[in-house]
Amino acid sequence: MDGCHPDSVVVSKCMEFRIRPTIEQKILIWKTFGCCRFVWNHLLDERISHEKVNKGKLLNTTPAHLKKDNPFLSEVDSMALCNVQLNLNQACRRLFPKGRAPKFRAKGKDKRSYTTNWINNNIEIVHKSDIENYIKLPKLGRVRIILHRSIPDEWRMKHATIKETASGKFFISLTFDVEIRPKEPMKEFDKVEAFDYSLPSLVVSASGENDITSDDIRWYRNLENRIAKEQRKLSRMQYGSRNYWEQKHKIGKLHEKARNRRKDFLHKLSRKVSDSFDAVVVEDINLQHMSQALNFGKSVYDNGYGLLRNMLAYKLEEQGEVLVKVDRFFPSSKRCSVCHEVNHDLKLSDRQWTCPSCGTHHDRDKNSCKNLLDEGKDILNRWTGGDSSLILAPSGVLSGKKLHPQARYNVRQDGE
Ligand SMILES: [Zn+2]
């Protein structure tokens, strides 16, 4: 990039705002969702037939030829259709070599969103008064936007995604290119906290002050039970009937409530932790693999351990602090935190154990947290000592792992 400071990097940041389209604008947004689905299905059909004859050569047709026979496509934002083509190509390139194909999109089950790009100020925030703001969007014109926080002037808009939630609210998520000069991280980390993922207590902290227990998220379980109950009601209703859609709406609202509450809870916790500690250590576990391997099911996702890690990373980074990720093969639970002997016989069901080597009695979670803390402190020491095998990503994550080139530039503002 030109004019860039030599030390600076460009990261993308994302902000989401509520929008309040008028009924005419809503209709056009719904039409755009429909046209995106139409283009996806038609182009996919063409690509699949082409693939059968010309193995390995991807057909790269644009939505333009569809417009001749289907003039309604010209009514909606052409950039949205263009992005469908790009996404489809990407999916085909990934799946065709494996002998698979992307799925066709069905009405009613499709994701309700579309993405458009910023070109020559086609998307612009228009301030009318302190409380009345609009966003200018292609084809839609000015849409009322609730600017709950201001957008820094130097952020350059890249693209915008307009979406409708299950409860019928509209949001716009804006992605920006932001030039940042990575903050010089502090050189001394006096106060370090460690988090370990554990069941049934969810998340255990080394200090013991920031544990998340099932009591903390009881409200979440309650909501979940209510969702399950409403879902059972839905299953007895006739698909497509008026009651059916009303019930679906209701369930969508409950899901949103659960998501918002969880986010809010984790935001508060991560704020508290990043304010009172200089660095936080977590284990670099792959949550997806973990839920499959140990059959924990969705509870792994429920407590949002991954979400918490992301929120911690960017909140720490803002203050020149770091999130340390310990390699997933580090035997945090099987190692004795006193004599460092690894107990290979330890089973997942053993909540308490005695070290065969030094005789110390351990609480499984506390021991594993202590190990993570020690390992994390060791990593921090090596890093401040100049160990070049450790990398601090712009997202504030310190680890020994080589980062995917794309991952370095993917810092999310809202933590999700
Ligand atoms: Zn021991």
Side-chain angles (χ1 to χ4, degrees):
M1 265 227 316
D2 29 77
C4 237
H5 189 278
D7 293 337
S8 64
V9 287
V10 176
V11 298
S12 32
K13 295 213 182 207
C14 206
M15 271 193 184
E16 195 173 80
F17 299 98
R18 178 95 187 257
I19 49 172
R20 294 191 185 278
T22 61
I23 185 66
E24 288 82 10
Q25 287 169 334
K26 276 185 194 173
I27 291 170
L28 189 52
I29 292 173
W30 289 327
K31 264 190 190 167
T32 316
F33 293 158
C35 289
C36 285
R37 188 174 60 242
F38 180 91
V39 167
W40 174 278
N41 288 342
H42 274 77
L43 294 185
L44 175 58
D45 192 39
E46 289 174 6
R47 277 160 182 58
I48 291 175
S49 341
H50 186 266
E51 167 73 13
K52 278 182 190 146
V53 194
N54 312 279
K55 282 257 172 276
K57 273 196 179 166
L58 184 69
L59 182 71
N60 192 13
T61 41
T62 67
H65 71 288
L66 296 173
K67 284 186 182 173
K68 273 180 222 135
D69 294 330
N70 307 284
F72 58 88
L73 292 177
S74 307
E75 287 174 39
V76 306
D77 186 349
S78 59
M79 284 313 297
L81 306 181
C82 214
N83 284 321
V84 171
Q85 179 207 344
L86 296 179
N87 288 340
L88 178 68
N89 285 358
Q90 212 173 22
C92 289
R93 265 187 219 110
R94 200 181 60 233
L95 294 172
F96 281 167
K98 295 179 189 164
R100 286 156 55 203
K103 286 201 169 71
F104 285 96
R105 293 186 173 168
K107 195 177 178 182
K109 287 177 185 163
D110 195 19
K111 60 172 185 165
R112 301 176 70 73
S113 74
Y114 75 86
T115 298
T116 182
N117 302 359
W118 183 96
I119 309 157
N120 298 326
N121 284 333
N122 62 342
I123 306 172
E124 209 179 8
I125 303 280
V126 183
H127 300 283
K128 202 148 186 210
S129 73
D130 283 350
I131 46 159
E132 200 182 345
N133 296 294
Y134 293 86
I135 183 162
K136 194 183 93 187
L137 288 163
K139 297 276 180 183
L140 287 170
R142 288 182 176 189
V143 182
R144 184 85 188 261
I145 185 169
I146 314 301
L147 280 182
H148 64 281
R149 54 193 287 191
S150 60
I151 303 167
D153 289 337
E154 63 278 14
W155 288 22
R156 289 184 307 268
M157 204 185 293
K158 294 295 285 181
H159 43 87
T161 299
I162 289 114
K163 54 187 158 193
E164 185 187 10
T165 65
S167 68
K169 289 179 192 146
F170 289 83
F171 289 90
I172 190 161
S173 129
L174 304 172
T175 307
F176 303 87
D177 266 354
V178 182
E179 196 183 304
I180 55 164
R181 288 180 67 182
K183 273 204 197 75
E184 197 57 42
M186 47 166 75
K187 287 294 171 203
E188 269 172 44
F189 301 91
D190 294 330
K191 287 187 271 170
V192 185
E193 173 71 301
F195 280 111
D196 192 20
Y197 178 75
S198 111
L199 280 171
S201 17
L202 307 184
V203 171
V204 182
S205 61
S207 68
E209 287 164 17
N210 298 304
D211 298 3
I212 306 178
T213 65
S214 34
D215 271 350
D216 291 321
I217 56 155
R218 175 145 301 149
W219 50 265
Y220 190 66
R221 289 272 166 272
N222 292 345
L223 260 175
E224 218 177 33
N225 290 340
R226 256 183 77 195
I227 291 172
K229 204 177 107 195
E230 301 295 343
Q231 194 74 45
R232 280 195 297 275
K233 268 194 206 163
L234 180 75
S235 68
R236 289 193 295 267
M237 289 174 180
Q238 199 196 340
Y239 176 83
S241 68
R242 193 193 163 90
N243 281 340
Y244 178 90
W245 292 118
E246 270 173 15
Q247 184 67 11
K248 216 163 160 124
H249 222 228
K250 195 170 169 185
I251 294 171
K253 272 192 173 166
L254 287 174
H255 274 297
E256 259 171 58
K257 199 169 175 179
R259 258 203 310 278
N260 290 342
R261 279 213 195 162
R262 181 175 73 166
K263 242 187 180 172
D264 185 57
F265 173 77
L266 293 174
H267 267 306
K268 281 179 184 149
L269 179 70
S270 53
R271 173 54 60 208
K272 183 179 141 208
V273 171
S274 56
D275 283 349
S276 38
F277 290 92
D278 305 328
V280 178
V281 188
V282 293
E283 202 176 358
D284 188 12
I285 48 170
N286 183 327
L287 298 174
Q288 207 174 349
H289 287 173
M290 193 168 170
S291 73
Q292 283 159 5
L294 304 175
N295 203 17
F296 287 150
K298 61 180 184 160
S299 55
V300 174
Y301 292 106
D302 275 4
N303 65 60
Y305 184 62
L307 200 54
L308 177 67
R309 284 194 316 201
N310 290 346
M311 289 181 179
L312 278 171
Y314 83 78
K315 286 186 174 129
L316 289 164
E317 191 271 334
E318 283 169 358
Q319 311 181 30
E321 302 165 344
V322 297
L323 181 80
V324 184
K325 272 194 186 172
V326 171
D327 191 279
R328 70 186 59 163
F329 298 111
F330 174 71
S332 60
S333 36
K334 291 186 174 176
R335 195 177 86 165
C336 166
S337 55
V338 178
C339 70
H340 291 190
E341 190 78 14
V342 178
N343 179 0
H344 291 286
D345 298 331
L346 194 70
K347 287 193 277 306
L348 191 65
S349 54
D350 298 334
R351 308 311 308 174
Q352 311 260 331
W353 58 286
T354 305
C355 173
S357 194
C358 71
T360 314
H361 191 67
H362 291 298
D363 172 276
R364 182 196 179 90
D365 295 335
K366 286 292 157 201
N367 176 61
S368 128
C369 241
K370 177 94 200 338
N371 277 325
L372 275 183
L373 187 67
D374 290 346
E375 180 70 8
K377 282 180 175 167
D378 189 50
I379 291 175
L380 284 166
N381 280 335
R382 274 163 51 206
W383 183 61
T384 45
D387 185 336
S388 58
S389 68
L390 297 164
I391 298 164
L392 179 69
S395 57
V397 176
L398 177 67
S399 67
K401 201 169 53 176
K402 292 268 175 297
L403 287 159
H404 187 271
Q406 288 277 302
R408 304 188 63 141
Y409 299 100
N410 216 353
V411 186
R412 294 289 304 258
Q413 183 77 8
D414 54 14
E416 229 185 350

